Each structure stands twice: as structure tokens, then as C-alpha cells.
């Protein structure tokens, strides 16, 4: 049995801004099912919900600050969650990265530096918990200083650093290095220094024993300049320590047979019932209620990564085609405004909901026929997997985890019953529109469409295989 400490900035259902939370909410329980001793550590944010109030366990002093550790559990599991309680940093309303007005926390470097120091103390069993992990599994830049700080310790646990997204690196002016009182040995180009600045993500990438990312294709892509954001050289240098392990999904939260958020549950054997979710969704969103019109959906952060500009460039053409479109998302203000204009112009055909809404997200997955995910890059992506499980065929761009989890509909894949969606190559509006048209042709062929839905629904996206791959990795180090 391995003792594994999972360090993260978000965990579903306690607090979530994206897929990282989904992963941390489901991978540790999957490892627990493999009889491993896994615990999660994250900041005790003001906005945490859906868990029992944290019980005080101890106070740890780092960098002249007294920080409390509280203990709760991941709901519906026996995974312990330690909450790093420091109200001066985490006690104000907002999400892990932005304040309530949507502005990045001005002291975000201080926040996650403090967090990393506490994780390091727990990892070294200096937090009076009588528990020392064999492996510390860090996620994204917010935890990047942990492998760096641990590299200075004797008898330290092994470290794994998982990159969920190379686009976010935690880079600060060099003065932050001194201000955060970081050990001088870490300041060099093979350490935390990045072109004269302090880079948190480099802490993970330079010092962790193993680096993983969340799909095999993204693991290859980030070794190239297009996806590596200047760190491709370091990743190529460390390629023997780098691997891609595809994310699983929480098959109890995302299950069309039991989903409590959707009006009508269904399975691959009762697919006729799916249409009731479609008409209910059309009614809820003010679209023309029509069981036959192909209904497209999209849920996601409205940022460049997700290829929303491609959608915007296609929306006028889409509005002139026999289809409807339902979008749920939030993010970039200028993207939000442009999308809302289309909603106003075509209220019966296009629905845009700005905001974060889990209930509606489930209803869209169950209610739409086709899910759009034209991402410019996508480390893994979860919605294309949720979609397939809900018999909602995804249209995805050929990148990252999208390429690894969707099988394009072609004569051969139709024949061997593996086709489960539509894949296009170019990040251009023309290529997206082409894929939409190709999809509409097949949507009109009902028996074939039904078979594609079944192919998609029968795929195994559970954590079983990937959790075993992480376990193998933990054992190797
Ligand atoms: P990323 O982590 O890059 O945002 P993923 O596809 O891995 O992308 O995960 C996104 C997760 O966040 C999914 O569970 C998705 O359903 C959810 N999500 C994103 N935006 C919203 C929203 N506006 N409302 C509800 N859920 C959302
Ligand atoms: C990131 C990526 C997304 C991935 C998620 C969970 O936010 O953008 O592709 O699915 O992390 O690993």
C-alpha cells in the first residue's frame, strides 16, 4: 500500500473552476478502491461547499505565519481532505484564482507559495499528523514549489508533477523570489528561474521525480514550440521522466441511467427516452421545441483555448442551417458579449447562458444531440467523454486528449463499430463548418446515428485503467 498526498488548488464538489477539480474529485477515490492510502490537501477557501465543516487538527508555522490545518472528507468517500486554513489569504469570497469581481487575486503568488510550504511540511511529517507520504502528487503551477522545496530535504518522499494545462505557469517578477523568501539554491535557469522571472511551474518540471500530463497526445505536443510555451526544451530534456495518462471520469456523477439533474434517465437500451431531455431543454432555454431538429451544445470556459473564436466565426452560417445551438459558459468578457448578440438575434435557434451551472451542464449533456469542442489545444478535456457516455456525439478538433478519446466516423470505424464522434484537423472556421455539415448528413440517417450513439455509450471512460497506470508510476519511483 502506498501513502499518497494529493496537492491541488481545487477539488469537486468542494470548489471547481474546471477539469482539475473533476480529476481530484475522482482519481483519489479510484486509488482508494485500489487499496491505497490517499489524502488530499488544498486551501481552505471561503467559498468551499458540499463538505462537512473542517475539524481543527494542528497549527503549522511557516515563514513567520501560523497556519491551521483542518480535516474533512470528500463527500461519499472516505478520502481525507486537509484544508490549509489561513483566512488572511483564503478567507475572502471568490474562486481559487479570481476575486468576486472576476479579477485575479493580487497576492496569488503569496497564496500558493504559502500553500506549497504547508504541503512540504506535511510531506516531511513535520505537521504533527503522524503520517508521512511515500509520494506527493502535485497538480499544476499552484503546487509547483513543492517538488522544488522537497528537493532540498533529506529522506523526502518521491514527487510526481501533473501538468493539466501548460498555458498557466505562475510566472512572477524576479523580486517575488526574494519577497517569498525562497531558498537561494533554487534560483538558477535549471531551477525556478525563467528568463529572469520566477516560474512556479518550473518547480514541478525541473524538480519532480516524474512529470505526467493528462493525455498521451498532449505529452507529445508539449515537447514542441506550438504547445510548450517556451518550456518545450525542458520537457524534451526530461522526456524519459514524462508520460501521458488519460483522465478518467466519475462514472457515478456522469451517468445517464441515474443522473438526478436530468428530467428523464436513460441507457443505451432505452435511447428513445433521451429525446424527452431534449424537448425539456429546448423549453427551458426558450428554443423552439422540436424533437427532430439537430441540437448542438457547448459547455466550457470561454477562453481562447476552447476555440470559441471558431464558433463565433461559424454562428451566422449555423443560424442559417436547420439546427439549434445551446451554449453554457463564462470567461472572457468580450467573447461573452459577442455570443450574447447571437442569442438576441436568433432567440429560437441559439441560446447562450453566461454563468456556471452544474444542473444545466448535466441537462445539456443529456439533452443535446451533438457536442462541440473545437479546442485549439486540449490537454485532456472531460466534456467529450461525458458526451459520449450520454449518447451525445462530440465534434472535436484533432488535438490532445480529444484526439485520444474520440474515434472519427469513417467507413472503417462505422464498419467495426468504433466510430463515436467527428474529428477535424485545421483550427479554422471552414474546417469546423465542414465537420458540422458532415455530422448533419449522418444525423439524418437514423439507424446509423443510433449505432454511433451506442458505440459512444459503450466506451469505458472509468478511472480503472488510468488509476492503475498512476499506481504503477508510484511504485516505480
Ligand atoms: P478545463 O479544465 O480546461 O476547463 P475540462 O473539459 O477538463 O476543461 O473540464 C471542464 C469541466 O468544467 C467540466 O466538468 C465542465 O462540465 C465544467 N464546466 C465548465 N464550464 C462550466 C459552466 N459554465 N457550468 C458548469 N460546468 C462547467
Ligand atoms: C485542464 C485542461 C483540460 C483537462 C483538465 C483536467 O484544465 O484544460 O483539458 O481535462 O485540466 O486534467
Amino acid at each position: 500500500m502506498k501513502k499518497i498526498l494529493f496537492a491541488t488548488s481545487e477539488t469537486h464538489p468542494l470548489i471547481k473552476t474546471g477539469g482539475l477539480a473533476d480529476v481530484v474529485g475522482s482519481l483519489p477515490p479510484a486509488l482508494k478502491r485500489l487499496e491505497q492510502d490517499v489524502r488530499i490537501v488544498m486551501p481552505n477557501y471561503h467559498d468551499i461547499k458540499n463538505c462537512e465543516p473542517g475539524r481543527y487538527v494542528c497549527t503549522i508555522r511557516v515563514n513567520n505565519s501560523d497556519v491551521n490545518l483542518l480535516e474533512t472528507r470528500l463527500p461519499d468517500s472516505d478520502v481525507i481532505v486537509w484544508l490549509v486554513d489561513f483566512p488572511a489569504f483564503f478567507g475572502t469570497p471568490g474562486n481559487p484564482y479570481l476575486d468576486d469581481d472576476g479579477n485575479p487575486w493580487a497576492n496569488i503568488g503569496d497564496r500558493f507559495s504559502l500553500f506549497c510550504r504547508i504541503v512540504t511540511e506535511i510531506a516531511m511529517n513535520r505537521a504533527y499528523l503522524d503520517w508521512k507520504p511515500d509520494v506527493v502528487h502535485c497538480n499544476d503551477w499552484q503546487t509547483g514549489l513543492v517538488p522544488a522545496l522537497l528537493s532540498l530535504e533529506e529522506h523526502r518522499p518521491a514527487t510526481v508533477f501533473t501538468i493539466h494545462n501548460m498555458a498557466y505557469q505562475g510566472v512572477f517578477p524576479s523580486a517575488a523570489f526574494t519577497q517569498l523568501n525562497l531558498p537561494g539554491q533554487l534560483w538558477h535557469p535549471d531551477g525556478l528561474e525563467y528568463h529572469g522571472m520566477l516560474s512556479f511551474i518550473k518547480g514541478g518540471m525541473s524538480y519532480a521525480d516524474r512529470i505526467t500530463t493528462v493525455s498521451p497526445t498532449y505529452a507529445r505536443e508539449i515537447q514542441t514550440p506550438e504547445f510548450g510555451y517556451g518550456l518545450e526544451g525542458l520537457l524534451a530534456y526530461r522526456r524519459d521522466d514524462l508520460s501521458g495518462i488519460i483522465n478518467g471520469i466519475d462514472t457515478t456523477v456522469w451517468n445517464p441511467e441515474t443522473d438526478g439533474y436530468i428530467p428523464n434517465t436513460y441507457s443505451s437500451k432505452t435511447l428513445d427516452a433521451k429525446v424527452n431531455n431534449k424537448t425539456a431543454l429546448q423549453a427551458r432555454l426558450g428554443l423552439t421545441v422540436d424533437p427532430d431538429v439537430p441540437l448542438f451544445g457547448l459547455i466550457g470556459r470561454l477562453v481562447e483555448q476552447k476555440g470559441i473564436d471558431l464558433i463565433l466565426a461559424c454562428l451566422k452560417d449555423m443560424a442559417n442551417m436547420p439546427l439549434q445551438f445551446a451554449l453554457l459558459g463564462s470567461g472572457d468578457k468580450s467573447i461573452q458579449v459577442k455570443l450574447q448578440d447571437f442569442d438576441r438575434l436568433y432567440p429560437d435557434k441559439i441560446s447562450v447562458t453566461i454563468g456556471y451551472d452544474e444542473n444545466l451542464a448535466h441537462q445539456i449533456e443529456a439533452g443535446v444531440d451533438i457536442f462541440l469542442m473545437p479546442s485549439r489545444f486540449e490537454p485532456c478535456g472531460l466534456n467529450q467523454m461525458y458526451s459520449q457516455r450520454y449518447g451525445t456525439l462530440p465534434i472535436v478538433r484533432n488535438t490532445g486528449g480529444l484526439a485520444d478519446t474520440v474515434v472519427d466516423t469513417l467507413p472503417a470505424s462505422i464498419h467495426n463499430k468504433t466510430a463515436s464522434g467527428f474529428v477535424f484537423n485545421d483550427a479554422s472556421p471552414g474546417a469546423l463548418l465542414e465537420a458540422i455539415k458532415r455530422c448533419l448528413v449522418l444525423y439524418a440517417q437514423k439507424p446509423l446515428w443510433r449505432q454511433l450513439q451506442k458505440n459512444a455509450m459503450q466506451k469505458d471512460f472509468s478511472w480503472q485503467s488510468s488509476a492503475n497506470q498512476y499506481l504503477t508510476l508510484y511504485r516505480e519511483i
Side-chain angles (χ1 to χ4, degrees), residues 98-405:
L98 309 173
D99 67 20
D100 247 2
D101 298 324
N103 302 311
W105 294 111
N107 60 352
I108 195 151
D110 303 82
R111 289 165 169 251
F112 288 112
S113 162
L114 177 98
F115 175 60
C116 287
R117 284 181 189 273
I118 295 294
V119 176
T120 305
E121 292 308 291
I122 298 174
M124 291 308 296
N125 200 14
R126 292 194 291 249
Y128 322 102
L129 295 165
D130 196 21
W131 186 84
K132 183 168 183 180
D134 302 305
V135 180
V136 184
H137 189 150
C138 300
N139 296 276
D140 274 351
W141 75 262
Q142 295 83 3
T143 60
L145 296 183
V146 176
L149 292 168
L150 281 175
S151 75
L152 305 174
E153 301 280 354
E154 268 182 57
H155 309 298
R156 66 168 177 87
T159 49
V160 175
F161 184 69
T162 296
I163 301 167
H164 295 264
N165 199 327
M166 283 291 296
Y168 304 101
Q169 301 192 349
V171 175
F172 301 91
S174 62
F177 186 85
T178 327
Q179 189 224 321
L180 294 172
N181 203 15
L182 289 166
Q185 306 97 292
L186 300 175
W187 184 258
H188 55 88
D190 295 328
L192 298 179
E193 184 186 346
Y194 178 67
H195 300 297
M197 289 179 290
L198 164 64
S199 164
F200 275 49
I201 201 173
K202 275 194 76 188
M205 290 172 44
S206 305
Y207 294 100
D209 296 308
R210 290 296 187 91
I211 305 166
T212 72
T213 184
V214 286
S215 68
T217 296
Y218 194 60
R220 286 191 298 275
E221 288 173 338
I222 54 179
Q223 295 177 53
T224 68
E226 188 187 348
F227 298 93
Y229 292 92
L231 291 170
E232 59 277 6
L234 172 56
L235 285 165
Y237 172 73
R238 293 214 59 192
R239 64 178 167 272
D240 291 344
D241 300 320
L242 168 67
S243 56
I245 300 179
I246 196 84
N247 287 332
I249 65 171
D250 189 325
T251 50
T252 51
V253 174
W254 294 97
N255 181 353
E257 293 182 48
T258 54
D259 192 328
Y261 288 124
I262 66 177
N264 217 312
T265 53
Y266 59 97
S267 71
S268 59
K269 296 195 183 66
T270 58
L271 256 170
D272 282 340
K274 180 169 160 60
V275 75
N276 300 326
N277 296 305
K278 176 172 176 174
T279 48
L281 180 67
Q282 289 168 324
R284 172 175 175 174
L285 298 176
L287 297 166
T288 305
V289 176
D290 176 351
D292 295 320
V293 65
L295 175 55
F296 289 67
L298 187 156
I299 303 159
R301 294 181 296 115
L302 303 177
V303 294
E304 198 203 333
Q305 169 187 351
K306 302 291 173 183
I308 309 292
D309 56 322
L310 304 181
I311 302 272
L312 280 167
C314 288
L315 268 181
K316 193 154 177 270
D317 288 310
M318 287 173 69
N320 289 318
M321 292 158 86
L323 59 81
Q324 295 179 345
F325 179 48
L327 178 145
L328 165 65
S330 66
D332 200 316
K333 298 244 160 41
S334 69
I335 298 179
Q336 292 182 178
V337 170
K338 287 182 194 150
L339 285 168
Q340 282 171 315
D341 286 344
F342 279 100
D343 179 310
R344 261 189 298 276
L345 272 172
Y346 307 98
D348 309 339
K349 299 190 77 174
I350 296 177
S351 157
V352 172
T353 308
I354 301 299
Y356 181 88
D357 185 339
E358 249 162 64
N359 175 309
L360 182 56
H362 282 250
Q363 291 180 6
I364 290 177
E365 284 295 4
V368 306
D369 301 296
I370 300 126
F371 194 90
L372 291 178
M373 223 158 154
S375 308
R376 289 180 174 274
F377 68 94
E378 196 61 76
C380 178
L382 299 173
N383 278 112
Q384 82 282 10
M385 294 194 267
Y386 302 154
S387 297
Q388 290 173 79
R389 198 161 152 77
Y390 279 68
T392 294
L393 302 186
I395 296 184
V396 302
R397 205 169 87 70
N398 191 11
T399 187
L402 301 176
D404 293 340
T405 55

